[in-house]
Amino acid sequence: MLNEQILTNAQVVTADRVFLGTVVLSDGLISAVEEGRSQLPQAVDLQGDYLLPGLVELHTDNLEKHLSPRPGVDWPSASAVLSHDAQIVAAGITTVFDALSIGDVNPKGKRMQQLPSMLEAIAKAQAAGQTRAEHLLHLRCEVSHPDTLSVFRDLVEQPLVQLVSVMDHAPGQRQFALESKYREYYMGKYHLSAAEMDGFIVEQVGNSREYSDRYRRAIVEICLERGLSVASHDDATLAHVEESAGYGMSIAEFPTTLEAAEACRRLGMNVLMGAPNVVRGGSHSGNVAAAGLAQQGLLDILSSDYYPASLLQAAFVLAAEDGHCDLPQAMNMVSRAPARSAGLEDRGEIRVGLRADLLQARTQGSLPVIQQVWRQAKRVF
């Protein structure tokens, strides 16, 4: 077949094992997965490197860094999307959910102003075939912001929206149960004076009390009607998880405690944690460590969050550490599990009939170094 590609002499990583083998690609799909080396002259020798499923990223705000590369600098959105896309695919990510924040908790931020141009630029680049990874949208809804529900109702009509998360970053809620931690974080990050911080806290507490419960319920109902996956964010207690599960949420993003992660498992929610947490050896904010959850069988999905290259590296870190998981299990956390949790049944593993989204990686010491990436059998890196 003219459009057939044969990749051979690779350590093929499927959903449950690793073996030296051959993978055949036809019409954008995986048409054969076989043990052993192909003897056909047209077969491409991968020289014993790993052949892995393309990564699926559910939660990254990496695009924002390209839109605002420095404080006070606004970069053209079309150029920013393509730069972001290049970084994403170079990290082995073939499907990315770009996280767009509705409701800015930064008193000096521009997220809400940037939102329309970000969404339009992603949609246009994707429609024009300019992106190398496939881009979908993850709407992050700050339910304590007065405008969140109305903006969400407008944006949820966009066909690229596949995932929605709800969160409340007001003081006294979830991640910031202690007002002292909230004050320390926002004064340090956004350079607020004590007086500015006092006024900001009063405003945020009032907004949370007025809008959060009502907006959370309305957003979840809209998502369930549309068949969209819904995620909670920063669940810290049993009560938080019970509330999230009661709303029908299927993903728990970044639970902050072991108690919350255990409750997620009991109630059937997939636990998503940050890959940087794994690579760095713990949470930068002092919350529960992702590797510790993996060791106890409580970790389902990894997300690169703010550092795209961490996703593949974290999978190899987990596979290399005794008592965590093997490489197929670790790779499932960055491919099959996120794909399935977002309703994508056509990708996420090396299996006949699925999309030929693949990456070739060679290890240097313990570090996986990406050599090539394919999306639907087309080489994109």
Side-chain angles (χ1 to χ4, degrees):
M1 296 176 63
L2 293 178
N3 63 347
E4 182 178 82
Q5 300 177 66
I6 303 172
L7 308 177
T8 195
N9 191 25
Q11 293 293 329
V12 179
V13 182
T14 66
D16 55 12
R17 64 192 185 110
V18 182
F19 57 90
L20 185 71
T22 299
V23 175
V24 182
L25 320 180
S26 304
D27 298 321
L29 302 177
I30 298 169
S31 58
V33 181
E34 303 168 348
E35 292 196 36
R37 296 181 59 169
S38 172
Q39 301 303 314
L40 294 174
Q42 70 268 35
V44 178
D45 187 346
L46 298 190
Q47 302 178 348
D49 290 347
Y50 287 103
L51 188 61
L52 306 152
L55 310 184
V56 178
E57 170 58 67
L58 294 186
H59 177 125
T60 177
D61 54 11
N62 187 63
L63 175 56
E64 292 183 356
K65 299 175 186 177
H66 293 272
L67 283 163
S68 301
R70 285 187 176 182
V73 174
D74 295 326
W75 202 257
S77 56
S79 173
V81 166
L82 295 183
S83 295
H84 158 64
D85 173 70
Q87 187 177 5
I88 286 293
V89 82
I93 298 167
T94 50
T95 302
V96 58
F97 285 72
D98 293 315
L100 305 184
S101 297
I102 303 176
D104 199 346
V105 292
N106 176 1
K108 300 178 180 180
K110 292 186 175 182
R111 277 178 166 175
M112 291 291 276
Q113 297 96 308
Q114 291 175 333
L115 199 52
S117 64
M118 289 170 68
L119 193 150
E120 182 181 10
I122 293 167
K124 281 187 174 180
Q126 181 100 327
Q130 296 172 335
T131 56
R132 289 183 269 184
E134 179 173 356
H135 290 253
L136 299 169
L137 295 180
H138 170 176
L139 300 182
R140 301 181 60 199
C141 301
E142 186 66 47
V143 292
S144 60
H145 192 283
D147 299 327
T148 291
L149 183 57
S150 61
V151 174
F152 170 76
R153 282 179 168 145
D154 290 336
L155 297 187
V156 77
E157 302 290 337
Q158 162 60 245
L160 293 181
V161 174
Q162 294 281 330
L163 176 63
V164 175
S165 58
V166 291
M167 57 202 69
D168 186 351
H169 284 101
Q173 301 296 322
R174 299 178 191 262
Q175 184 179 2
F176 296 108
L178 296 177
E179 184 180 307
S180 59
K181 290 293 184 182
Y182 185 86
R183 182 179 293 273
E184 177 185 344
Y185 179 84
Y186 280 95
M187 288 184 72
K189 186 171 183 177
Y190 301 126
H191 310 293
L192 302 178
S193 67
E196 287 174 327
M197 193 68 223
D198 288 343
F200 184 63
I201 287 176
V202 170
E203 179 183 11
Q204 296 308 305
V205 169
N207 285 343
S208 179
R209 186 179 299 117
E210 182 172 355
Y211 301 112
S212 289
D213 289 343
R214 179 159 49 96
Y215 282 8
R216 182 182 290 109
R217 185 177 302 108
I219 288 169
V220 171
E221 287 176 356
I222 292 170
C223 291
L224 295 180
E225 288 173 2
R226 290 177 166 270
L228 298 175
S229 297
V230 190
S232 65
H233 193 82
D234 290 337
D235 288 340
T237 67
L238 174 60
H240 290 159
V241 178
E242 288 177 337
E243 177 186 58
S244 299
Y247 277 122
M249 298 182 195
S250 57
I251 303 169
E253 291 188 330
F254 315 114
T256 62
T257 65
L258 176 61
E259 175 192 21
E262 290 174 335
C264 289
R265 178 51 49 82
R266 289 197 304 271
L267 296 175
M269 297 180 69
N270 290 307
V271 173
L272 179 153
M273 295 290 284
N277 184 311
V278 173
V279 173
R280 296 179 64 256
S283 167
H284 71 277
S285 56
N287 295 326
V288 66
L293 295 185
Q295 195 165 18
Q296 298 188 53
L298 297 173
L299 178 61
D300 301 297
I301 300 169
L302 284 170
S303 162
S304 69
D305 196 6
Y306 58 89
Y307 201 91
S310 67
L311 200 56
L312 183 62
Q313 186 177 358
F316 274 75
V317 168
L318 288 180
E321 295 185 0
D322 292 339
H324 286 55
C325 53
D326 59 22
L327 186 57
Q329 290 172 321
M331 285 303 302
N332 282 341
M333 296 179 189
V334 297
S335 54
R336 187 178 187 277
R340 298 298 178 272
S341 68
L344 302 176
E345 302 290 336
D346 62 347
R347 69 198 75 183
E349 62 178 298
I350 298 179
R351 178 160 58 86
V352 172
L354 296 191
R355 281 178 29 158
D357 293 353
L358 303 165
L359 67 94
Q360 175 191 355
R362 181 176 302 163
T363 53
Q364 293 185 358
S366 60
L367 180 67
V369 180
I370 293 174
Q371 307 298 306
Q372 300 186 82
V373 179
W374 298 263
R375 178 164 76 92
Q376 292 179 283
K378 177 184 177 181
R379 186 178 172 188
V380 290
F381 177 81

